[in-house]
Amino acid sequence: MLIHIVINGEKRKIHCGPDDMLMEVLRDAGYKSVKCGCDTTNCGLCTVWLDDKPVLSCSVPAMRCNNRNVTTLEGVQEEAALIGSLLVDEGADQCGFCSPGLIMNIIAMKRELKDPTEEEILHYLAGNLCRCTGYMSQLRAVKKYMGVEE
């Protein structure tokens, strides 16, 4: 099946099978920031935006993205670099495998929530798993990015 999709502002025509998930299609198209960590929608590594809302691309059939907009980490490099530097400053970078999905959710959260509480931040990011850092350093970096540091 041929789908028409806008990825990071670029109109694309992509062939996909009826069972292909968005994550696979994006990786095959060269968007390597989209990663697979679990295939069960439990880790958040595959987070992208579909029409500006975060989704787990491992659970979205690619054909449902026909005539829609998808944003990957490659499409938000300036904001991602800022968050990345804050994560490094707080010692939350470690292996970095989870960073793309986490960063996509952090940016989406900043666009959605104004002056969030710590509880709201933790709730928003609950689906992002990290096997290396522990979450306190990530939380400090997120608070700085959101402008709600203590």
Side-chain angles (χ1 to χ4, degrees), residues 6-22:
V6 177
I7 305 173
N8 300 329
E10 179 185 351
K11 292 180 182 179
R12 304 279 309 260
K13 294 178 185 177
I14 296 179
H15 289 279
C16 64
D19 295 331
D20 288 349
M21 292 296 156
L22 179 59

Side-chain angles (χ1 to χ4, degrees), residues 3-5 22 50 60-70:
I3 60 171
H4 299 262
I5 186 171
L22 179 59
L50 182 58
V60 176
M63 58 189 229
R64 286 196 180 165
C65 298
N66 192 37
N67 297 315
R68 297 180 76 185
N69 294 300
V70 172

Side-chain angles (χ1 to χ4, degrees), residues 6-58:
V6 177
I7 305 173
N8 300 329
E10 179 185 351
K11 292 180 182 179
R12 304 279 309 260
K13 294 178 185 177
I14 296 179
H15 289 279
C16 64
D19 295 331
D20 288 349
M21 292 296 156
L22 179 59
M23 179 191 65
E24 300 159 339
V25 169
L26 290 170
R27 287 192 58 81
D28 288 348
Y31 300 95
K32 300 301 184 188
S33 69
V34 183
K35 296 189 165 99
C36 177
C38 67
D39 266 339
T40 60
T41 69
N42 286 313
C43 71
L45 268 66
C46 66
T47 300
V48 299
W49 300 341
L50 182 58
D51 297 330
D52 294 323
K53 297 291 182 192
V55 297
L56 299 171
S57 62
C58 73

Side-chain angles (χ1 to χ4, degrees), residues 73-89:
L73 188 69
E74 290 87 351
V76 291
Q77 284 299 299
E78 192 173 309
E79 288 174 280
L82 173 58
I83 297 167
S85 68
L86 291 170
L87 289 168
V88 168
D89 289 348

Side-chain angles (χ1 to χ4, degrees), residues 95-113:
C95 82
F97 194 69
C98 67
S99 295
L102 175 65
I103 289 170
M104 292 300 289
N105 273 321
I106 292 170
I107 296 170
M109 178 176 53
K110 184 164 186 164
R111 292 177 179 188
E112 184 178 329
L113 303 179

